[in-house]
Amino acid sequence: MAMKGTAANTGILLVTANVGSLFDDPENLQKNWLREFYQVVHTHKPHFMALHCQEFGGKNYEASMSHVDKFVKELLSSDAMKDYNRARVYLDENFKSQEQFTALGSFYFLHESLKNIYQFDFKAKKYKKVTGKEIYSDTLESTPMLEKEKFPQDYFPECKWSRKGFIRTRWCITDCAFDLVNIHLFHDASNLVAWETSPSVYSGIRHKALSYVLDRIIDQRFERVSYFVFGDFNFRLDAKSVVETLCAKATMQTVRAADTNEVVKLIFRESDNDRKVMLQLEKKLFDYFNQDVFRDNNGTALLEFDKELSVFKDKLYELDISFPPSYPYSEDCSQGMQYMNTRCPAWCDRILMSHSAKELILKSENDEKQVVYDHIGPNVCMGDHKPVFLSFRIAAGAGKRCLRNEKIFRESSL
């Protein structure tokens, strides 16, 4: 595989993918998913690649173990990945531990042309040279090459079996240090509850969890470096504002449960046009009559309702979004572009970075597009989430150097 770039810069590919659907229906979904993923690798030809997966193993991890092993083996041994001669795989497979299980999977691939790559040992506080291919699974808490935490149960008491948390690794490439954080934040449990307030109560829960992660990765335990945080943030459009805009000329009917008087459904009808139903809203139903609004011009008209990141603008940066909402797509293989009517489509899957990481990205000096932020498999069923990727280059000498004392590199090489 011919590599893009020169000795002066290094191609980086970051990918986030909620892959739960792949293990719930592996026979129909995994082949298409892998084909589209490999196509992105072939197109961008990175020297270093990070794949952050959430819901790895699906809803029933124990029943999916054989599919997990097959998926990992395929990624590590496929012909499409043959030029990546070093790899690190971290799989949280400790599904029996309610206190620790996150269902996160982090994959890192290094091209054979990439020399002298180091990974940080958080226990020894030293970098170690990366050689060979290694897989770490089950109890990741004892692995010194990463930091992993599951969010406390009281962050989201509604969900007794939440699997939300983060995994952090630190790398040194072209003598430049940066953190890569795999993250999965809390979802909206009910469309009706999300609609009640602006911002929603769930937005506040995600804000709390993300603040916790950012505080952890910039605390005083380790030297501060640039960081990329990518995963399923579960960011949602501001439901109240979206509904008010989409149904501005509609009348609302409230349906209550006969026994509890609890609101169980909202029906929005056009004021005229034979009172046509525009939107039906239930706990797990968001049925809008015209899905084109979420796809036209990649849904950019709805970006004004994508507000959850704004409170972090002093800490996090994101490139402009030019792809449609990444969730919730149909899991029917014949409907790769269709959204399910369970949730309002939203940009859940994102790649964010510190402002110092933004400066690492090598801007192109010619007409070739060197920085690409996009989704994978636009016309293909990839499960309920479309993976999102960021392709860029790091210039030699960019950013903070890994260590001032290069002797430590040699002493800590494996």
Side-chain angles (χ1 to χ4, degrees), residues 50-62:
L51 169 63
H52 284 177
C53 296
Q54 305 82 42
E55 294 292 342
F56 199 79
K59 295 180 179 64
N60 189 343
Y61 203 105
E62 189 169 12

Side-chain angles (χ1 to χ4, degrees), residues 15 33-41 49 51 75 376:
V15 181
W33 193 99
L34 287 166
R35 184 186 68 243
E36 296 295 315
F37 173 74
Y38 293 148
Q39 182 58 51
V40 170
V41 175
M49 176 171 35
L51 169 63
L75 275 175
I376 300 177

Side-chain angles (χ1 to χ4, degrees), residues 29 37 57 170:
L29 294 179
F37 173 74
R170 177 170 291 188

Side-chain angles (χ1 to χ4, degrees), residues 198-211:
S198 176
S200 76
V201 61
Y202 305 119
S203 174
I205 294 169
R206 288 188 284 271
H207 178 274
K208 181 180 179 181
L210 182 53
S211 294

Side-chain angles (χ1 to χ4, degrees), residues 65-170:
M65 288 296 289
S66 62
H67 302 306
V68 167
D69 293 342
K70 183 179 179 181
F71 185 83
V72 173
K73 183 178 180 181
E74 163 66 26
L75 275 175
L76 290 176
S77 61
S78 72
D79 187 63
M81 305 291 286
K82 61 182 174 58
D83 294 330
Y84 295 87
N85 63 348
R86 288 153 293 168
R88 291 293 183 271
V89 179
Y90 302 102
L91 304 176
D92 186 0
E93 295 184 331
N94 191 19
F95 55 86
K96 294 182 179 180
S97 173
Q98 185 172 343
E99 293 76 25
Q100 296 178 326
F101 184 49
T102 64
L104 294 173
S106 297
F107 297 75
Y108 304 98
F109 302 94
L110 288 69
H111 193 269
E112 60 189 10
S113 65
L114 198 56
K115 308 301 181 185
N116 299 322
I117 304 305
Y118 300 87
Q119 187 181 1
F120 191 66
D121 183 320
F122 287 94
K123 185 175 182 180
K125 296 187 177 182
K126 292 182 178 181
Y127 287 88
K128 295 184 177 181
K129 191 171 184 177
V130 180
T131 60
K133 297 181 179 181
E134 297 177 0
I135 300 175
Y136 298 85
S137 60
D138 196 19
T139 307
L140 296 181
E141 284 74 18
S142 60
T143 304
M145 307 309 289
L146 57 81
E147 284 197 318
K148 176 208 147 190
E149 288 189 49
K150 178 180 177 179
F151 297 121
Q153 185 66 45
D154 60 8
Y155 273 36
F156 200 47
E158 289 185 47
C159 191
K160 295 180 180 180
W161 185 227
S162 171
R163 303 188 289 188
K164 307 299 191 291
F166 71 95
I167 291 177
R168 169 197 189 186
T169 57
R170 177 170 291 188

Side-chain angles (χ1 to χ4, degrees), residues 118 120 127 170-178 223-226 360 394-410:
Y118 300 87
F120 191 66
Y127 287 88
R170 177 170 291 188
W171 301 84
C172 177
I173 297 176
T174 64
D175 203 20
C176 173
F178 54 84
E223 183 179 16
R224 288 191 185 186
V225 298
S226 300
L360 295 180
I394 291 182
K400 180 177 288 188
R401 296 192 65 193
C402 299
L403 290 170
R404 295 182 180 87
N405 183 0
E406 294 188 1
K407 183 180 180 182
I408 299 180
F409 279 111
R410 295 193 293 272

Side-chain angles (χ1 to χ4, degrees), residues 342-392:
T342 53
R343 309 286 184 186
C344 177
W347 289 272
C348 293
D349 309 273
R350 316 278 276 260
I351 299 177
L352 312 179
M353 66 196 79
S354 63
H355 288 280
S356 60
K358 172 190 172 184
E359 303 305 318
L360 295 180
I361 297 178
L362 181 66
K363 302 290 184 176
S364 174
E365 295 182 357
N366 55 41
D367 294 333
E368 185 179 359
K369 190 176 183 182
Q370 304 285 11
V371 181
V372 183
Y373 186 35
D374 206 348
H375 64 327
I376 300 177
N379 304 314
V380 177
C381 181
M382 304 288 283
D384 57 349
H385 289 256
K386 297 285 190 190
V388 170
F389 75 91
L390 174 64
S391 175
F392 62 95

